[in-house]
Amino acid sequence: MSLVVPSFDMSAMADYAHDWALVDVETSGLMARRDRVLSVAVVTMGPDGEQTGEFSTLVDPGCDPGPVDVHGLTRERLSGAPAFDQIAGRLGAMLQDRVLVAHNAQFDYDFLAHEFARARLYLPVTRRLCTLALNRQVDPPTRDMKLDSLAAHYGVPRTRAHDALDDTRVLAGIFRATLREAARLDLPLPFVTCPPRQDPQFAPQPPKTPCAYRNPGRMEPGGRLVQGMKIALTGQTATSRAELVARSVAAGLNVMSSVSGHTSVLVTNEPASGSAKARRAAAEGVPVIDEHAFLRLLGAVRSGTPHQAAPPNSRSVPVVPAPRNTPSALPAVPTPGTPLAGRRVLVLGGSHEAASAARARIVELGGSAAVNLSRSVTDVVRLADGQADRRLPKIAGLGLPVHDEAWLAAPASAAPPRSEGAERADAPRPVPPLVLPRGGVVDLPVSSPEAELFTWRATASWASRGRCAVDVVAFVLDEDEQVTFDEDFVFYGAPENPAGTVRLLTDGPAEQSFDLSLGALPPASRRIVVAAAVDGDATFGEVGAVQIAVSPGHGAAPLARATLDAATTERTLILAEFYRRGPVWRFRAVGQGYDHGLDALARGYGVDVES
């Protein structure tokens, strides 16, 4: 079967001409390590954009199919369908030597990787591309980035939502049109190398019950254990490790897998063994006791202080500025009467400091500062050396006005130009996100207790520069600004915490996201810090501006975004934080940089990162 939408020849565009395998899966749930694939569809395309093959099938998962009201796949419909290992060979042949393409590609890739692993087979995918991430770069004038909205915008017909084959055919049409727009904007494609850089030792473990007590600090010499103390174990013990852990947890202690400055005591029979934990304990001055003393103290653990739930607060302010004393603090939301209200401005050229000042001025005037050329850009400001930017011919072809630096002193108020897609009478006008300055705060709306259970997405993006590799990480903190346990540090090597409430998504070389199930976090989790770190000896002055956006779901339009330029010589940068205020979660754009590396930042939150 051929695609309904007209094709265009991509073979002349070398950077966009590849062999593609467009994929969609329907699943029994959202966690790939737990849930199963119920149906899968693949459409293959050649470098010229023409379809070369198609395959789809239902899959019998051998378990409950999950939310039938979403996908419509009942036990009866799946009965008699092949198991995944029966179709894995044919599926692998279609994926071999092709770039896997999907909407929210890490979801589909993760499910396929787990299914191939269960079948004891290797998933033959070396690169993937996410059409959601690509469309975030293109930024078409749609109300959101969901398949339905993009299909309507690009004129791709759709017949059956949540049908794997129909979704894949629709995706093929969207992908072809998006490639054409990416070529117009000269955007690099956001390829992700597969498999990701996940260390097997950090594979997600079963959910761990959080300790119910606050950490009281170090154990005093000759003193007693107190509930909430962070305990680490190392070396050989007469009692099995599983029994020691179980008894410690039952007594109200918090057993950690590493040692940090927040560790209360290290238990070892070999303090001079030279293990990593013993060395760290010596460096941090952590008390050390042997197994015999520990077992004796376990019989008389003192009562600790329970974690407190967030205090009730009946008031909810839609958007508030952060409490900052610096003169650069700006209102969190520009008023419609400001000169650049509704405009998105891209800055070209200039030193890091000059470009940073220009972007700050854009926000001060009510505009939004862009980090890349996209369909939503309405104006361009050219600073010194900006005339050498290779995107200028594309900008001229798009008809965007180009201004010099003086324009920012007194820009004329005018309605921003409307993009092509918004000219249709039936096209929904996208609502622009709130523009937050450094320190700006916005409440995350919750209409009911159930509504808090859906996933918020925080997306960080920056201009792609070959030398600068950036990692985005998250720390889930308690009221003492510490991780409750080591697994609450989520990064590329451990991209998901055990409960699946915080999950890292790699959407491209210049974009990473976190999915956050805020309503499912325990009361002890009071704050989530999202930070970025630069690999090697590069700094954020070389990376340039970083944009952070928060959206209610993976395909939804952003609620708010900020462009952060605070860093110059810094190697780590706190981008944003989610925190509880009464019954409400809030999002704050931070932009605080540090010269030290990620290891020092992690230790400050109670996690030891070995170099």
Side-chain angles (χ1 to χ4, degrees):
M1 177 178 177
S2 63
L3 297 173
V4 177
V5 294
S7 63
F8 66 97
D9 188 0
M10 295 185 293
S11 59
M13 303 181 296
D15 292 340
Y16 304 90
H18 300 271
D19 287 302
W20 312 99
L22 293 94
V23 175
D24 184 74
V25 297
E26 296 296 327
T27 64
S28 64
L30 302 177
M31 296 179 67
R33 58 187 166 90
R34 178 195 66 194
D35 301 313
R36 303 299 299 271
V37 168
L38 306 179
S39 70
V40 60
V42 182
V43 169
T44 58
M45 286 171 29
D48 59 358
E50 292 294 332
Q51 179 176 332
T52 58
E54 180 178 282
F55 169 67
S56 68
T57 183
L58 297 178
V59 178
D60 185 352
C63 65
D64 184 89
V68 174
D69 57 318
V70 174
H71 50 62
L73 299 176
T74 62
R75 285 182 181 271
E76 292 72 25
R77 283 193 64 191
L78 297 172
S79 177
F84 191 89
D85 59 1
Q86 294 175 285
I87 57 101
R90 181 174 180 183
L91 189 59
M94 298 188 75
L95 299 175
Q96 183 78 43
D97 299 323
R98 292 184 171 94
V99 179
L100 184 148
V101 179
H103 205 60
N104 199 22
Q106 185 159 341
F107 178 89
D108 299 78
Y109 174 84
D110 285 351
F111 267 92
L112 290 176
H114 277 80
E115 291 288 5
F116 270 79
R118 292 185 186 105
R120 300 183 180 277
L121 296 171
Y122 174 73
L123 175 63
V125 173
T126 58
R127 286 194 300 175
R128 69 171 188 256
L129 187 146
C130 178
T131 53
L132 179 59
L134 182 58
N135 272 281
R136 277 198 293 263
Q137 290 186 14
V138 171
D139 205 6
T142 57
R143 76 184 141 200
D144 54 45
M145 297 296 172
K146 297 179 181 178
L147 274 182
D148 283 337
S149 299
L150 293 172
H153 172 73
Y154 291 122
V156 180
R158 188 171 196 187
T159 57
R160 299 185 305 277
H162 293 294
D163 175 88
L165 181 56
D166 187 67
D167 283 352
T168 310
R169 291 170 176 164
V170 170
L171 180 65
I174 290 171
F175 181 52
R176 293 152 66 109
T178 309
L179 284 176
R180 181 170 54 221
E181 290 298 314
R184 288 182 62 199
L185 296 165
D186 197 23
L187 294 174
L189 296 180
F191 291 117
V192 175
T193 301
C194 302
R197 295 180 296 162
Q198 182 173 348
D199 190 319
Q201 69 174 310
F202 295 114
Q205 301 298 317
K208 176 180 175 181
T209 302
C211 183
Y213 303 94
R214 297 178 66 172
N215 183 7
R218 299 273 174 86
M219 190 181 79
E220 297 293 333
R224 294 166 60 186
L225 294 171
V226 181
Q227 288 177 324
M229 280 186 170
K230 291 189 172 184
I231 307 299
L233 305 165
T234 188
Q236 297 295 318
T237 54
T239 309
S240 72
R241 182 64 60 88
E243 182 179 345
L244 286 175
V245 170
R247 291 179 62 179
S248 300
V249 171
L253 302 176
N254 192 358
V255 181
M256 308 293 287
S257 59
S258 67
V259 173
S260 74
H262 297 286
T263 303
S264 304
V265 63
L266 173 68
V267 179
T268 180
N269 293 325
E270 305 168 283
S273 66
S275 71
K277 291 179 184 178
R279 292 197 309 271
R280 177 59 60 189
E284 297 286 351
V286 173
V288 178
I289 60 175
D290 62 22
E291 177 187 2
H292 176 74
F294 180 64
L295 289 172
R296 176 175 52 81
L297 291 170
L298 267 181
V301 176
R302 289 174 49 193
S303 298
T305 303
H307 285 293
Q308 298 295 317
N313 186 345
S314 59
R315 296 191 61 191
S316 176
V317 182
V319 182
V320 298
R324 292 179 62 88
N325 298 320
T326 59
S328 61
L330 304 171
V333 183
T335 58
T338 49
L340 296 185
R343 289 180 175 270
R344 188 150 170 77
V345 185
L346 177 66
V347 176
L348 303 182
S351 65
H352 177 76
E353 291 78 7
S356 175
R359 283 185 282 264
R361 176 62 176 163
I362 290 163
V363 175
E364 182 181 4
L365 295 170
S368 173
V371 297
N372 285 303
L373 180 63
S374 71
R375 285 285 301 276
S376 64
V377 170
T378 61
D379 296 87
V380 175
V381 171
R382 189 174 61 197
L383 304 180
D385 301 325
Q387 67 275 9
D389 194 292
R390 65 181 180 82
R391 293 171 291 181
L392 275 176
K394 297 287 184 181
I395 290 169
L398 294 169
L400 294 175
V402 180
H403 314 277
D404 60 22
E405 189 174 1
W407 179 73
L408 291 175
S413 296
R418 299 182 68 187
S419 59
E420 300 167 11
E423 293 295 334
R424 302 195 310 268
D426 61 341
R429 294 300 303 276
V431 177
L434 302 171
V435 178
L436 300 179
R438 289 181 63 197
V441 178
V442 60
D443 281 359
L444 304 182
V446 177
S447 58
S448 67
E450 293 76 17
E452 198 172 329
L453 296 178
F454 69 79
T455 299
W456 286 90
R457 174 165 290 192
T459 299
S461 57
W462 52 93
S464 181
R465 291 178 171 85
R467 162 175 149 76
C468 303
V470 179
D471 290 316
V472 181
V473 303
F475 301 89
V476 185
L477 307 176
D478 61 17
E479 61 267 54
D480 298 317
E481 298 293 308
Q482 300 176 39
V483 295
T484 303
F485 39 79
D486 296 331
E487 293 83 355
D488 274 339
F489 172 40
V490 183
F491 65 110
Y492 73 85
E496 182 180 354
N497 68 345
T501 51
V502 179
R503 184 165 181 260
L504 173 65
L505 304 160
T506 302
D507 304 317
E511 180 178 301
Q512 295 175 36
S513 303
F514 274 102
D515 277 355
L516 310 168
S517 300
L518 299 177
L521 290 168
S525 299
R526 305 293 289 275
R527 187 182 303 269
I528 300 173
V529 172
V530 179
V534 186
D535 285 349
D537 58 357
T539 69
F540 275 99
E542 299 170 69
V543 174
V546 179
Q547 179 181 279
I548 182 77
V550 59
S551 308
H554 70 266
L559 170 69
R561 68 183 167 205
T563 302
L564 304 173
D565 261 307
T568 52
T569 62
E570 294 90 334
R571 295 173 52 219
T572 59
L573 177 65
I574 296 180
L575 302 174
E577 60 183 10
F578 295 78
Y579 65 97
R580 295 184 195 261
R581 179 69 177 268
V584 176
W585 280 91
R586 285 180 165 179
F587 172 82
R588 186 200 308 275
V590 179
Q592 176 65 54
Y594 301 93
D595 287 341
H596 56 58
L598 178 60
D599 53 350
L601 184 68
R603 288 191 189 104
Y605 291 130
V607 181
D608 182 40
V609 179
E610 294 183 27
S611 56

